[in-house]
Amino acid sequence: MTAPTSSTLPAHDGAGYPAAHRTDLVEDLHGYRVADPYRWLESVDDPRTQEWSAAQDALYGRYRERWDAATDGPFATATLTGRLGRLLGAGFVGAPAWRGQRQFVARRSGEQEHAVVVVIEPGPDGQDVERVLIDPVALDPAGTTTLDAWQPSKEGDLVAYQVSRGGTEESVLHVLDVATGELVDGPVDRARYSPVAWVPGGRSFYYVRRLAPALVPEAERQYHRRVWLHTVGTDAEQDVEVFGAGLELTNYYGVSVSRDGRWLIVSASAGTAPRTDVWIADLSLPGAAQSPTFVEVAVGLDAETGAWVGRDGRLYVHTNLDAPRGRLAVTTPDRPGVEHWTTLLAQDPEAVLEDVALTDGGAADTTPRRLLASWRRHTVSEVSVHDPVSGTRLPGVDGTVTLPGLGSISGLVTRPDGGTDVWFSYTDHTTVPSVHRLDTTTGTTSVWAAPPGALADLPDVVVQQVQVASTDGALVRAFVVARRDALDADGRPHAPAPTVLYGYGGFQISLDPAYSATTLAWVEAGGVYVVANLRGGGEEGEQWHRDGMRGVKQHVFDDFHAVAEHLVAAGWTSPDRLACWGGSNGGLLVGAALTQRPDLFAAVVCSAPLLDMVRYQRFGLGVTWTEEYGDADDPQELGWLLGYSPYHRVVDGTAYPATLFTVFEGDTRVDPLHARKLAAALQAATTAPLQERPVLVRRERGVGHGGRALSRTIALTVEQLQFVAEHTGLATAAGAHSPAALPAEEPR
């Protein structure tokens, strides 16, 4: 390894960027010579990093001044902030969690910073009465506390909930009494990503908590989860460990208890690996509550599996074992192994099985009457109805649930005490999510709950789904959203338009049709917005995911480039009008796009990104992602990573697109160091003038990778849209005044 020098190279001549130390650090890693000139930017506490970050803040602040000074046009700060507020003004409402006659619902009105949890129950006069149970702003008026999860007890008398502060996602668990609203338990720390499985009676629950820091090496304190049994009102240090010892240190665990309290089901997956092990234990056996005996449902298989015990006493298994698009199998809890499974819903050749629900007569009538299945066919949802014993689809209209449009549904919710009704949420590109109720006795659906705020007037848009052949011939789909008056009678654009191409392509995440204020604000101003369904996602099942991970991750980037090239070839846009946008794993996507195809894009928005793929697993939760990307400590897998790692593909003397990195100082998933390092490398390498194609860093404190207050969401979106509007020409085309030139600053 070559030792780094202490010399400071000047910033790119005339660029006006803050100077950054550029060392000659080169390491020999498994025979690869790997340069890392900005290693020092990994340390947020290094005074040089702090000075560099402050200078980047100042540079971005001068850029922002121009937009804040603008007074007209759709991209003036006040105008765009107001429009996004109206587009988000309907708020949000979630599907109900039923507990007897009580309904628990997450809801946000248009002006609320965070969603609250509301309980709705019959009042003395027979009319429903509702109360707010959990309000993050009441807990923290500054708005930096987020509600990470909540779960009512089986009787609905208690609610366990988890909150975190400053974007850290380090959840702390509390329990409140529903009738009084008073806290009866907590705080219990180290409960990040913990499910809560209540035992009937509400005196105890199973949950997931990390081991105490003193018990594990410092570098492993984010891991070492265990499943515990907690008695409400007691010190969490007295909790009984019931599962997890001796298994993978990066395991995430799921846990559930059947409605009758007899069966405990635990699942485990090593990080984000697409494999899940599942066990079941009979809690009716003597001493089983604290020391359950687990029996394998599916262990050591190269598949993902979820299992639960229905009200009819059967064990249902949703798995992609031998079925990459998913299937539903059934057995009995006392014979849970794979050899006893009977397929109830077979794999569909095109659609992915998303969820299932069983209806019955309710109360003591536990015999299933209908089996409902939600599917995702090329990202568009559909719901089918089946015989619950044979799995046969009911004939004609009885076998299909009519949905409001070509969109997405989430969840098929039933009452834990049974019944014939099912609830689900629906959305599409122009429809705010609402909750629908399906009466399975009549087959009719109706809107059960709409968002509480006012619906905005929406632009008249057209949504098309296009198909594009990728480099290797794989068929990739994308949604194109455009204003109707920008298209001719055949649905073709009148002229190339400023266009945003958005993608993700990883971790089985599917970019399904969904309402987006960002999309609608952009399209309303005359732009085109495109969402690409790339390999690595879950749109077409597990094989689609695996075709974009590990050694074939390049497929994802090839898919993205193919969609971009199609948009240009078909006349939707041109390279000087095309921006790409992505966050987290999608930040890696656009980081790869800007370093592999800088000629194809005019602007890039890269948010909370992974970019140094040689050292990613040393920071944040990176070690849990090696099954998705590869392990840099393995010689072969390091080769995969170096093949596309954006930080390592920067080439001096290249005219890179205008690039905006948005990072969040509270991010404990993806460390902001990735953006710092690539920003420094691009600023030094690009030949594009700062005035025309700047490389900028927007840094935000008090927030992290996930949830945030509404006002912060809008402020971030405003600045991202302004950036791409300026650098694709939409700001001028939409009637905004061109901002004054960005003041230059001498390199330091």
Side-chain angles (χ1 to χ4, degrees):
M1 181 175 73
T2 305
T5 68
S6 59
S7 62
T8 301
L9 299 181
H12 176 61
D13 288 345
Y17 291 112
H21 299 280
R22 184 174 180 176
T23 71
D24 60 2
L25 172 61
V26 179
E27 295 177 305
D28 188 325
L29 302 176
H30 305 299
Y32 293 98
R33 298 278 292 170
V34 182
D36 192 356
Y38 300 104
R39 171 80 59 87
W40 57 273
L41 279 170
E42 291 179 353
S43 174
V44 70
D45 297 322
D46 188 318
R48 296 173 300 171
T49 300
Q50 294 176 350
E51 180 183 4
W52 181 89
S53 295
Q56 297 294 332
D57 293 344
L59 176 64
Y60 183 65
R62 296 198 310 279
Y63 180 87
R64 284 288 311 130
E65 288 173 0
R66 304 173 305 155
W67 286 111
D68 291 338
T71 58
D72 59 1
F75 293 101
T77 298
T79 303
L80 185 54
T81 299
R83 183 53 178 155
L84 287 171
R86 290 189 294 277
L87 287 169
L88 293 168
F92 163 81
V93 62
W98 287 96
R99 298 294 186 270
Q101 293 302 306
R102 280 177 168 151
Q103 310 163 31
F104 296 86
V105 176
R107 189 171 64 198
R108 183 186 65 78
S109 63
E111 70 281 357
Q112 283 179 305
E113 290 282 14
H114 293 279
V116 301
V117 177
V118 175
V119 60
I120 304 170
E121 54 195 338
D125 59 356
Q127 298 297 312
D128 283 347
V129 177
E130 64 177 55
R131 291 177 287 118
V132 175
L133 284 180
I134 310 166
D135 181 354
V137 174
L139 299 174
D140 171 19
T144 61
T145 292
T146 55
L147 178 62
D148 300 329
W150 55 278
Q151 183 65 247
S153 64
K154 293 189 183 301
E155 296 75 22
D157 297 329
L158 301 172
V159 172
Y161 69 93
Q162 291 131 276
V163 292
S164 59
R165 296 181 183 273
T168 64
E169 300 179 307
E170 282 297 335
S171 299
V172 178
L173 187 150
H174 305 262
V175 179
L176 62 77
D177 183 290
V178 172
T180 66
E182 296 179 356
L183 289 176
V184 297
D185 201 357
V188 179
D189 63 359
R190 308 194 304 274
R192 183 178 194 174
Y193 303 147
S194 172
V196 171
W198 285 95
V199 175
R203 295 184 57 209
S204 61
F205 56 80
Y206 295 92
Y207 77 116
V208 177
R209 190 187 192 200
R210 298 196 305 269
L211 293 179
L215 300 179
V216 299
E218 183 175 0
E220 298 177 1
R221 289 178 181 173
Q222 283 288 333
Y223 314 116
H224 292 285
R225 289 172 170 80
R226 300 286 190 273
V227 178
W228 308 82
L229 174 64
H230 176 74
T231 300
V232 174
T234 65
D235 188 341
E237 301 312 311
Q238 300 174 11
D239 290 352
V240 178
E241 181 182 334
V242 299
F243 193 83
L247 299 181
E248 292 285 342
L249 68 89
T250 59
N251 270 0
Y252 292 112
Y253 294 104
V255 58
S256 64
V257 173
S258 61
R259 182 69 181 90
D260 61 8
R262 179 175 177 181
W263 301 101
L264 171 65
I265 296 177
V266 172
S267 63
S269 59
T272 58
R275 293 179 290 280
T276 312
D277 294 335
V278 183
W279 297 261
I280 189 170
D282 188 347
L283 295 179
S284 69
L285 299 177
Q290 296 192 13
S291 184
T293 300
F294 287 97
V295 178
E296 294 182 358
V297 178
V299 176
L301 305 175
D302 187 17
E304 290 187 302
T305 300
W308 68 96
V309 176
R311 278 191 9 106
D312 59 345
R314 297 200 295 177
L315 178 67
Y316 292 88
V317 181
H318 183 185
T319 183
N320 58 24
L321 179 65
D322 302 322
R325 295 181 185 270
R327 63 184 172 107
L328 179 69
V330 66
T331 182
T332 56
D334 57 342
R335 293 162 61 87
V338 176
E339 66 275 15
H340 301 298
W341 297 359
T342 298
T343 295
L344 193 56
L345 293 178
Q347 174 179 234
D348 186 281
E350 288 189 334
V352 179
L353 179 63
E354 289 287 284
D355 197 7
V356 299
L358 288 154
T359 63
D360 56 32
D365 182 359
T366 62
T367 302
R369 296 184 179 182
R370 293 286 187 272
L371 168 63
L372 284 85
S374 67
W375 309 82
R376 185 177 60 240
R377 190 177 304 276
H378 309 316
T379 74
V380 175
S381 289
E382 55 188 50
V383 178
S384 56
V385 186
H386 305 256
D387 180 276
V389 176
S390 67
T392 303
R393 184 165 179 165
L394 299 185
V397 295
D398 291 335
T400 301
V401 175
T402 301
L403 298 179
L406 299 179
S408 310
I409 73 163
S410 58
L412 293 173
V413 176
T414 58
R415 292 177 182 262
D417 297 328
T420 59
D421 292 340
V422 179
W423 290 263
F424 59 87
S425 294
Y426 173 84
T427 184
D428 57 40
H429 288 96
T430 58
T431 303
V432 176
S434 57
V435 179
H436 295 250
R437 171 182 167 269
L438 167 65
D439 181 345
T440 59
T441 60
T442 64
T444 58
T445 59
S446 58
V447 175
W448 182 79
L455 295 174
D457 292 330
L458 300 181
D460 186 10
V461 304
V462 174
V463 181
Q464 303 179 34
Q465 191 176 46
V466 300
Q467 299 181 7
V468 180
S470 190
T471 305
D472 62 351
L475 189 64
V476 180
R477 294 176 173 83
F479 287 103
V480 180
V481 187
R483 250 174 38 181
R484 188 178 301 275
D485 59 11
L487 307 177
D488 61 23
D490 296 322
R492 310 298 295 174
H494 294 305
T499 298
V500 170
L501 174 59
Y502 183 87
Y504 190 82
F507 296 97
Q508 296 176 299
I509 292 175
S510 176
L511 299 185
D512 301 328
Y515 182 86
S516 167
T518 304
T519 299
L520 293 171
W522 178 261
V523 171
E524 184 175 55
V528 173
Y529 202 99
V530 182
V531 178
N533 299 126
L534 313 170
R535 281 178 284 186
E539 290 88 348
E540 303 292 341
E542 179 55 22
Q543 190 57 52
W544 186 254
H545 170 220
R546 297 192 184 202
D547 283 348
M549 60 183 282
R550 294 177 61 77
V552 290
K553 182 69 176 176
Q554 183 60 39
H555 283 165
V556 183
F557 315 133
D558 291 343
D559 293 353
F560 197 62
H561 302 155
V563 174
E565 289 172 337
H566 169 80
L567 295 172
V568 172
W572 287 101
T573 190
S574 56
D576 62 336
R577 294 177 176 86
L578 178 60
C580 60
W581 189 327
S584 192
N585 174 75
L588 169 61
L589 168 68
V590 299
L594 79 92
T595 51
Q596 293 184 20
R597 293 295 308 274
D599 59 306
L600 195 51
F601 302 97
V604 180
V605 173
C606 187
S607 188
L610 278 166
L611 298 165
D612 180 349
M613 299 307 292
V614 172
R615 292 174 59 80
Y616 81 95
Q617 65 202 63
R618 299 173 182 268
F619 304 96
L621 298 180
V623 73
T624 65
W625 306 327
T626 55
E627 282 285 344
E628 182 77 14
Y629 298 122
D631 183 348
D633 291 333
D634 178 281
Q636 180 185 18
E637 298 180 14
L638 174 62
W640 304 341
L641 295 162
L642 279 171
Y644 65 82
S645 177
Y647 175 60
H648 298 93
R649 289 187 62 107
V650 175
V651 178
D652 285 342
T654 302
Y656 284 105
T659 302
L660 175 63
F661 295 99
T662 60
V663 298
F664 316 113
E665 293 289 83
D667 195 335
T668 58
R669 284 195 239 175
V670 180
D671 196 298
L673 69 88
H674 289 272
R676 291 195 294 266
K677 292 175 73 173
L678 184 58
L682 289 175
Q683 288 177 352
T686 188
T687 59
L690 170 61
Q691 309 295 329
E692 298 175 8
R693 291 189 176 187
V695 175
L696 302 170
V697 180
R698 180 195 190 271
R699 182 169 59 139
E700 189 173 359
R701 297 173 177 84
V703 293
H705 202 84
R708 59 175 52 215
L710 175 66
S711 59
R712 284 181 176 264
T713 297
I714 290 175
L716 171 63
T717 305
V718 164
E719 295 176 34
Q720 291 169 324
L721 284 172
Q722 289 172 330
F723 183 84
V724 292
E726 177 176 350
H727 295 289
T728 60
L730 184 58
T732 302
H737 287 293
S738 298
L742 178 63
E745 180 178 85
E746 291 300 319
R748 291 192 265 180

